[in-house]
Every structure is written in C-alpha cells, then in structure tokens.
Amino acid sequence: GDKVKQSPSALSLQEGTNSALRCNFSIAATTVQWFLQNPRGSLINLFYLVPGTKENGRLKSAFDSKESYSTLHIRDAQLEDSGTYFCAAETEGADRLTFGKGTQLIIQP
Amino acid sequence: EAGVTQSPRYAVLQEGQAVSFWCDPISGHDTLYWYQQPRDQGPQLLVYFRDEAVIDNSQLPSDRFSAVRPKGTNSTLKIQSAKQGDTATYLCASSPLGGSYEQYFGPGTRLTVL
C-alpha cells in the first residue's frame, strides 16, 4: 500500500472558505514537508515540520509523529491557492522524501 | 539567493533517442536529488548525491538511465534510449547538510517520448 496517503484526492472550494488536507503515514516519519505544485509545475515549499505545528499567514500545518499523520489547513481560500498539494515524509537515517499522490485543490470565485 | 535551476524546460523525443537533463543546485547545498514525476502522481526518487558521491541509485533504471555530479555541484541525468514510459517531469532538488534537510526543487524538465 501507499506509504504516504493523502486525502482527499481532489477538492473544490468557494473563495473565502476553509479547508483541511491530511496525510497518513505507514512509515516512521521523522519530518514532513508540504508543497504546492502550481499550474506551471513548480513545487513551492510551504512547510518543513518536525513534530509540532507551524503557521504562515492563512496556512497552518501540524505533524504528529506518534499518530503518524500531518494536516494542512487553509483559511479564507483565495484563487491563487489553486493547485496540487503534496506532503512528503522523511524517515530516520534516510535523507530522502517519500511523496503522497497529492490533493488537487480548485478554488472557485 | 538563486534557486535550483534546470534545463531544458521541455523535451520531445522519439523512442530510442537519448536526452540529457542538467541541474544547478542552490549554492552551498551538498545534497542533490533527481526525481521522476509521472502525470498525476507524486515525485519519486531516482537517485541522490552527497557532494560527488552517489548515495542511493537503487530506483534508477540502470540499463538506460545514468546520473553524474563530477565536481559536487552541477549534475546531469541522461536517458540513453528513451521509452514512452519515460514520459514524465524530471525534477531536481537540493538540500544543505546539517540542520534541517529541507529540500528545494527546480522547475523541472517536462519530457514527452512519442
């Protein structure tokens, strides 16, 4: 099965609403990165997390290594938030990332 | 600070042709990664280097793919005889040694094999 499972796979929201994306890990993740892949294909770094939470503007992310999950909350969604969100996990002693399959987010006016 | 740069941005080949992708990591980053991202999937690691040494190339199809980083800075990924199944975006990333291992990605090369 998937080592990093993202949900939902796709989501459509109205501008101004809130959303929550989730990653579940079947590997012993030690750090998590969240990225936004824009329509041009570039991966934009959103968060790098050890267990705990971080916040940046309208985005907030949490990583619980004991329960093996991470979340990304988007508040007051804007059109420019559209794209595919990926989470990726690193495990102890392996400085490589294992990616999920992504959540495609569409923000509608 | 300049980001990770890659070239070319796009490539279109016939099956059997060869192609090379070039990556310039962020200055001072000693670890460099190559990922393959098929359409509608997440990136999958092919190979990564620390300085000029290959750390892990277990996911690199060694019969047709090769990667080098001779001076521990820029890197080249080459496909000798491309197949339609190689159609994907090839992403390069780099990260610094010590502290966080946060990876930073280049814009990718979108490869289409006809």
Side-chain angles (χ1 to χ4, degrees), chain A residues 6 31 33-35 37-48 54 84 86 88 90 93-102 104, chain B residues 9-10 31 33 35 37 40-45 48 50 55-56 58-59 89 91 95 97 99-108 110:
Chain A
Q6 287 190 244
T31 66
Q33 283 192 245
W34 282 93
F35 300 90
Q37 191 162 42
N38 64 21
R40 292 185 63 194
S42 294
L43 278 167
I44 300 164
N45 290 45
L46 299 177
F47 291 104
Y48 174 86
K54 282 189 178 178
T84 302
F86 287 100
E90 195 171 59
D95 49 351
R96 75 188 71 180
L97 291 175
T98 302
F99 279 79
K101 291 184 177 177
Q104 186 178 18
Chain B
R9 292 298 314 276
Y10 302 93
T31 308
Y33 307 82
Y35 291 83
Q37 185 179 17
D40 296 328
Q41 294 187 36
Q44 297 156 13
L45 183 69
Y48 78 100
R50 183 157 300 123
I55 303 301
D56 185 352
S58 60
Q59 303 305 310
T89 297
L91 294 162
S95 70
L97 181 65
S100 84
Y101 294 95
E102 185 170 2
Q103 293 187 28
Y104 297 86
F105 282 78
R110 190 171 295 181

Side-chain angles (χ1 to χ4, degrees), chain A residues 10 17 25 42 61 66 75 81 91-92 94:
Chain A
T17 59
F25 309 112
S42 294
S61 186
K66 291 181 181 176
R75 177 174 51 83
D81 295 332
T91 56
E92 183 72 40

Side-chain angles (χ1 to χ4, degrees), chain A residues 14-61:
Chain A
Q14 291 293 119
E15 207 174 358
T17 59
N18 303 332
S19 65
L21 311 181
R22 185 176 174 106
C23 278
N24 290 309
F25 309 112
S26 61
I27 52 177
T30 52
T31 66
V32 173
Q33 283 192 245
W34 282 93
F35 300 90
L36 168 60
Q37 191 162 42
N38 64 21
R40 292 185 63 194
S42 294
L43 278 167
I44 300 164
N45 290 45
L46 299 177
F47 291 104
Y48 174 86
L49 293 158
V50 295
T53 61
K54 282 189 178 178
E55 193 164 354
N56 184 5
R58 296 179 294 102
L59 303 181
K60 183 176 180 178
S61 186

Side-chain angles (χ1 to χ4, degrees), chain B residues 34-112:
Chain B
W34 284 102
Y35 291 83
Q36 181 191 61
Q37 185 179 17
R39 188 174 177 81
D40 296 328
Q41 294 187 36
Q44 297 156 13
L45 183 69
L46 290 173
V47 59
Y48 78 100
F49 299 84
R50 183 157 300 123
D51 298 321
E52 66 277 5
V54 173
I55 303 301
D56 185 352
N57 62 358
S58 60
Q59 303 305 310
L60 195 67
S62 57
D63 56 334
R64 296 183 301 108
F65 285 62
S66 63
V68 294
R69 193 185 184 200
K71 297 183 180 179
T73 52
N74 303 334
S75 177
T76 304
L77 176 69
K78 184 174 182 178
I79 306 176
Q80 282 282 30
S81 178
K83 298 182 177 180
Q84 287 188 350
D86 299 332
T87 293
T89 297
Y90 291 82
L91 294 162
C92 178
S94 69
S95 70
L97 181 65
S100 84
Y101 294 95
E102 185 170 2
Q103 293 187 28
Y104 297 86
F105 282 78
T109 297
R110 190 171 295 181
L111 173 67
T112 302

